[in-house]
């Protein structure tokens, strides 16, 4: 594991705090304040673990955003997940005792280390904790299965829409706004995760912005109609979208003799600002 960077702040969590972070119930037997788990901080771009590295630790995200990826023999990345606050990762190392994927920080991150030997020992003394941890692992597996199912069944537009809804729901689970959030991942990384090209992701987000499903301000995304995103199957043709956008503009534009201002920035312009 590459050395993390230490800063002033929280460096240890007890078992009860760990349960709260993972969103699992803490019983009276988990009030052992002497049982502590170390925090380590990583900078944006740092690798937490690499493919083939010996497995010894599970990681819990206390703050920040990451990606897990597979890398083929040519150096091409396939994004597997975007761990966020309260997520557990590193589980893919349990089977072979080597990590099968690579984890990279997309922002400055604060991670809680859960040494696997410590986890197995805890399972013998805190049976309810072991069951709860298996529930957390199952939660991650269900999310991955839902993604695989989505990739095979939905159009490109629907994949991007469900991705935004999923992010919205995950931010809500973390206690943040579900209506306005920042994308920490690039369009290329979103495309890799969804099985789409960068161009398709950019075009689809621009279209969502045009028809009023979302708003875009650089990397900030505003969710205007979550229900429509959740049920969207395909976008209407561009000519229909243009008429809808023109109709909204006519209804909302003030009457004025002054010359009109500049055109709204496109998604590509916003992302490159």
């Amino acid at each position: 594991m590459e050395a993390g960077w230490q800063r002033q702040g929280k460096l240890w969590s007890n078992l009860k705090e760990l349960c709260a972070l993972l969103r699992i119930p803490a019983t009276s037997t988990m009030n052992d304040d002497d049982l502590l788990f170390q925090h380590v901080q990583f900078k944006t771009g740092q690798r937490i673990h690499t493919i083939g590295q010996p497995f010894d630790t599970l990681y819990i995200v206390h703050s920040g955003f990451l990606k897990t990826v597979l890398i083929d023999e040519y150096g091409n990345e396939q994004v597997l997940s975007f761990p966020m606050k309260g997520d557990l990762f590193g589980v893919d190392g349990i089977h072979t005792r080597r990590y099968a994927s690579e984890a990279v920080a997309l922002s400055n991150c604060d991670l809680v280390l859960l040494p696997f030997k410590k986890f197995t020992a805890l399972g013998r003394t805190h049976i309810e904790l072991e069951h709860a941890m298996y529930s957390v692992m199952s939660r991650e597996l269900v999310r991955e299965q839902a993604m695989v199912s989505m990739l095979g069944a939905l159009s490109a537009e629907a994949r991007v829409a469900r991705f935004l809804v999923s992010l919205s729901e995950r931010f809500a689970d973390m206690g943040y706004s579900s209506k306005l959030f920042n994308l920490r991942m690039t369009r290329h990384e979103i495309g890799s995760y969804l099985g789409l090209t960068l161009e398709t992701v950019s075009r689809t987000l621009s279209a969502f912005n045009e028809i009023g499903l979302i708003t875009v301000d650089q990397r900030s995304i505003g969710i205007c109609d979550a229900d429509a995103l959740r049920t969207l199957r395909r976008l209407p043709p561009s000519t229909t979208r243009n008429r809808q956008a023109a109709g909204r503009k006519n209804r909302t534009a003030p009457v004025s003799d002054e010359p009109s201002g500049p055109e709204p920035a496109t998604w590509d312009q916003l992302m490159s600002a």
Side-chain angles (χ1 to χ4, degrees):
M1 181 181 69
E2 294 185 12
W5 60 282
Q6 297 291 345
R7 58 169 169 73
Q8 295 299 317
K10 191 174 185 63
L11 296 178
W12 298 89
S13 284
N14 61 33
L15 187 55
K16 188 174 182 180
E17 290 170 331
L18 202 69
C19 290
L21 182 61
L22 289 167
R23 302 188 296 278
I24 57 179
T27 65
S28 57
T29 61
M30 297 182 190
N31 291 327
D32 185 357
D33 290 335
D34 294 329
L35 187 59
L36 298 175
F37 302 86
Q38 184 181 6
H39 288 232
V40 176
Q41 286 76 43
F42 292 84
K43 291 182 181 179
T44 303
Q46 271 194 290
R47 287 169 172 79
I48 287 76
H49 62 71
T50 57
I51 297 171
Q53 178 181 321
F55 165 80
D56 58 3
T57 304
L58 298 172
Y59 300 88
I60 303 167
V61 185
H62 187 264
S63 66
F65 301 85
L66 305 97
K67 65 177 179 179
T68 61
V69 300
L70 290 178
I71 303 175
D72 67 18
E73 57 194 279
Y74 304 106
N76 299 313
E77 286 190 1
Q78 170 64 55
V79 177
L80 302 176
S81 66
F82 294 112
M84 302 177 186
K85 180 180 178 181
D87 288 341
L88 173 75
F89 68 93
V91 177
D92 59 5
I94 295 176
H95 175 56
T96 63
R97 291 297 187 268
R98 291 186 180 274
Y99 294 105
S101 64
E102 181 170 286
V104 183
L106 294 178
S107 70
N108 291 346
C109 295
D110 182 358
L111 306 181
V112 183
L113 308 186
L114 179 56
F116 192 65
K117 288 183 178 179
K118 192 172 186 178
F119 167 65
T120 54
L122 281 171
R124 291 191 289 270
T125 56
H126 297 79
I127 300 299
E128 66 279 10
L129 174 65
E130 184 179 42
H131 292 168
M133 289 295 292
Y134 289 148
S135 176
V136 171
M137 295 179 189
S138 177
R139 184 173 70 200
E140 302 300 325
L141 179 60
V142 168
R143 182 183 296 161
E144 292 178 7
Q145 289 176 334
M147 175 56 60
V148 171
S149 175
M150 181 179 76
L151 293 180
L154 299 179
S155 67
E157 298 97 332
R159 294 182 204 179
V160 177
R162 301 301 194 285
F163 174 72
L164 293 176
V165 170
S166 174
L167 279 182
S168 171
E169 292 172 345
R170 292 174 73 182
F171 276 108
D173 288 342
M174 291 188 289
Y176 303 133
S177 170
S178 63
K179 299 295 185 181
L180 184 66
F181 49 83
N182 290 325
L183 293 177
R184 295 294 183 176
M185 62 289 293
T186 66
R187 291 167 294 162
H188 176 76
E189 289 164 339
I190 294 172
S192 176
Y193 182 59
L194 298 177
L196 303 172
T197 64
L198 178 154
E199 292 78 14
T200 298
V201 173
S202 296
R203 186 170 57 251
T204 302
L205 289 169
S206 293
F208 288 172
N209 186 41
E210 289 173 9
I211 63 178
L213 297 182
I214 65 174
T215 60
V216 179
D217 181 9
Q218 298 186 31
R219 289 203 176 193
S220 177
I221 298 293
I223 302 296
C224 301
D225 194 336
D227 290 336
L229 289 171
R230 191 175 288 108
T231 58
L232 183 142
R233 309 189 77 164
R234 289 189 182 278
L235 283 171
S238 58
T239 53
T240 303
R241 298 201 306 268
N242 291 338
R243 287 198 300 269
Q244 291 173 342
R248 284 195 304 274
K249 186 175 181 180
N250 291 335
R251 288 194 299 270
T252 60
V255 178
S256 174
D257 294 330
E258 295 294 326
S260 59
E263 291 295 318
T266 64
W267 173 257
D268 288 331
Q269 292 169 331
L270 289 167
M271 290 300 290
S272 62

